[in-house]
């Protein structure tokens, strides 16, 4: 990289200077030591650090994700504990980031909250990782039971007009008809004598 090229040029210039000084002053021995950056430090500058997560916490997070099929976490790395799982929020964020990079979850970010949804590949991976049988599926894939419909809460027919006693917000099922402003007002009503 540019840093290494610049450092190599500095070394060459120092060696040239040392040879010149030794040639003019033969009585003074000259020793030059070039201090270089350690290769360990220069390699780690561009990398992210790895995070060690205990197997207990990893299993707890993965089992929760498999059971629910989704996971929600606030974007807060200093939060001591996740809302649903008994592990630090930072570990949940990093585990989900790892699963996302491998294509096992789909991520949505909205209003400082992350939402992760298991993909089919993620379900297979977690089933294998957690040693679960094929009969067990996440809650998002289970069929919802039929709920009883309460009286008056049935669905409206598609062409039904909405009956409204007073002024309301929104457009409702019909257009126009009100004395509001904007589109749909129609022609002015003539007064009859």
């Amino acid at each position: 990289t540019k840093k290494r090229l610049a450092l190599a040029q500095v070394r060459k210039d120092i060696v040239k200077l040392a040879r010149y000084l030794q040639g003019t002053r033969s009585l003074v021995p000259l020793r030059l030591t070039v201090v270089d950056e350690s290769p360990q430090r220069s390699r780690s500058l561009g990398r992210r650090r790895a995070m060690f997560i205990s197997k207990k916490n990893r299993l707890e997070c993965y089992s929760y994700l498999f059971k629910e099929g989704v996971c929600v976490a606030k974007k807060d790395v200093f939060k001591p504990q996740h809302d649903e799982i008994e592990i630090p929020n930072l570990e949940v964020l990093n585990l989900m980031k790892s699963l996302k990079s491998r294509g096992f979850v789909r991520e949505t970010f909205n209003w400082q909250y992350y939402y992760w949804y298991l993909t089919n590949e993620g379900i297979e991976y977690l089933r294998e990782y957690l040693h679960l049988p094929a009969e067990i599926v996440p809650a998002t894939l289970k069929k919802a039971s039929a709920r009883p419909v309460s009286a008056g809460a049935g669905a409206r027919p598609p062409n039904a007009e909405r009956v409204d006693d007073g002024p309301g917000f929104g457009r409702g099922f019909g257009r126009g008809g009100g004395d509001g402003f904007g589109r749909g007002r129609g022609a002015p009503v003539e007064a009859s004598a």
Side-chain angles (χ1 to χ4, degrees), residues 131-153:
H131 308 292
L132 297 172
E135 296 84 38
I136 299 177
V137 293
T140 53
L141 294 181
K142 291 180 182 174
K143 299 286 183 188
S145 62
R147 295 182 188 165
V149 178
S150 61

Side-chain angles (χ1 to χ4, degrees), residues 24-58:
T24 56
R25 300 180 188 157
S26 58
L27 299 175
V28 180
L30 184 63
R31 284 189 165 227
L32 292 176
T33 307
V34 177
V35 178
D36 192 358
E37 290 183 341
S38 67
Q40 185 92 8
R41 182 172 175 223
S42 64
R43 266 191 258 131
S44 67
L45 287 177
R47 284 195 196 162
R48 293 184 178 177
R49 295 186 124 166
M51 180 171 202
F52 295 108
I53 300 173
S54 69
K55 186 146 188 168
K56 183 186 86 138
N57 288 355
R58 182 183 314 262

Side-chain angles (χ1 to χ4, degrees), residues 106-170:
R106 185 172 49 88
E107 178 183 271
T108 303
F109 182 72
N110 191 17
W111 286 62
Q112 296 299 310
Y113 277 86
Y114 286 103
Y115 300 90
W116 293 283
Y117 313 95
L118 263 178
T119 62
N120 291 335
E121 295 83 15
I123 292 171
E124 292 171 15
Y125 171 76
L126 288 180
R127 188 173 283 140
E128 183 180 316
Y129 189 87
L130 299 170
H131 308 292
L132 297 172
E135 296 84 38
I136 299 177
V137 293
T140 53
L141 294 181
K142 291 180 182 174
K143 299 286 183 188
S145 62
R147 295 182 188 165
V149 178
S150 61
R156 289 191 175 97
N159 295 334
E161 287 290 327
R162 189 172 116 185
V163 179
D164 204 1
D165 294 327
F169 296 102

Side-chain angles (χ1 to χ4, degrees), residues 65-76:
L65 178 64
F66 188 84
K67 183 179 83 170
E68 298 296 326
V70 294
C71 185
V72 179
K74 183 172 176 56
K75 183 185 174 184
D76 184 6

